[in-house]
C-alpha cells in the first residue's frame, strides 16, 4: 500500500505544535538528525509540505497532506520529535491556482 497521498482525495492540514515543558532537551537534540531525515522522506512522499520552526516560542508549524486527521496523526507519529510536542491540527482550504501550479512544478 502506497503512503503517498492521492492528490484527488488528499487535503492539506496545518499542524501547530508546541514543545512540552517536560522535554528532555538533551534527548531532543540527539534526535535532530533523525527528525530531519524523516522530514525529507515525508517530503519526497508528498506527505509533508512547508515546515517552519519558531525556537523563541518553542513551536513548529508543519503542512501535512493527508486524506483526513487520522492520517495526519499517522504521519506525525513517524517523526522522532513527535513525542516532545503537543499538536493542534487545522484543516485548510484547497490551494488557490498559484499554489496548485507551484505544487505541480515541485
Amino acid at each position: 500500500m502506497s503512503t503517498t497521498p492521492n492528490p484527488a482525495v488528499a487535503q492539506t492540514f496545518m499542524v501547530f505544535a508546541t514543545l512540552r515543558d517536560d522535554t528532555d532537551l538533551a534527548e531532543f537534540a540527539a534526535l535532530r538528525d533523525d527528525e530531519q531525515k524523516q522530514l525529507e522522506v515525508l517530503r519526497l512522499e508528498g506527505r509533508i509540505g512547508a515546515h517552519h520552526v519558531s525556537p523563541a516560542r518553542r513551536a513548529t508549524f508543519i503542512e501535512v497532506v493527508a486524506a483526513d486527521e487520522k492520517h495526519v496523526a499517522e504521519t506525525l507519529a513517524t517523526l522522532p520529535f513527535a513525542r516532545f510536542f503537543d499538536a493542534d491540527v487545522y484543516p485548510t482550504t484547497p490551494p488557490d491556482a498559484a499554489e496548485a501550479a507551484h505544487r505541480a512544478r515541485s
Side-chain angles (χ1 to χ4, degrees), residues 31-84:
L31 292 172
R32 186 171 310 279
D33 287 343
D34 293 338
E35 177 80 359
Q36 293 304 313
K37 288 175 188 171
Q38 181 62 12
L39 282 168
E40 187 57 31
V41 167
L42 294 170
R43 277 188 196 99
L44 291 172
E45 292 176 352
R47 295 169 65 187
I48 292 280
H51 177 236
H52 301 281
V53 178
S54 175
R57 299 294 290 268
R58 299 169 54 107
T60 187
F61 302 85
I62 305 171
E63 178 185 36
V64 179
V65 180
D68 54 35
E69 289 191 34
K70 177 181 178 256
H71 288 102
V72 172
E74 290 171 1
T75 295
L76 293 175
T78 70
L79 294 168
F81 281 179
R83 69 178 177 265
F84 302 115

Side-chain angles (χ1 to χ4, degrees), residues 12-18 48 50-52 59-64 72-73 76 85-92:
T12 301
F13 297 82
M14 184 54 65
V15 177
F16 170 70
T18 53
I48 292 280
H51 177 236
H52 301 281
T60 187
F61 302 85
I62 305 171
E63 178 185 36
V64 179
V72 172
L76 293 175
F85 285 92
D86 291 319
D88 289 316
V89 178
Y90 299 88
T92 61

Side-chain angles (χ1 to χ4, degrees), residues 18-28 58 82-86:
T18 53
L19 194 63
R20 291 189 183 115
D21 289 336
D22 63 349
T23 296
D24 178 334
L25 295 179
E27 182 182 3
F28 183 82
R58 299 169 54 107
R83 69 178 177 265
F84 302 115
F85 285 92
D86 291 319

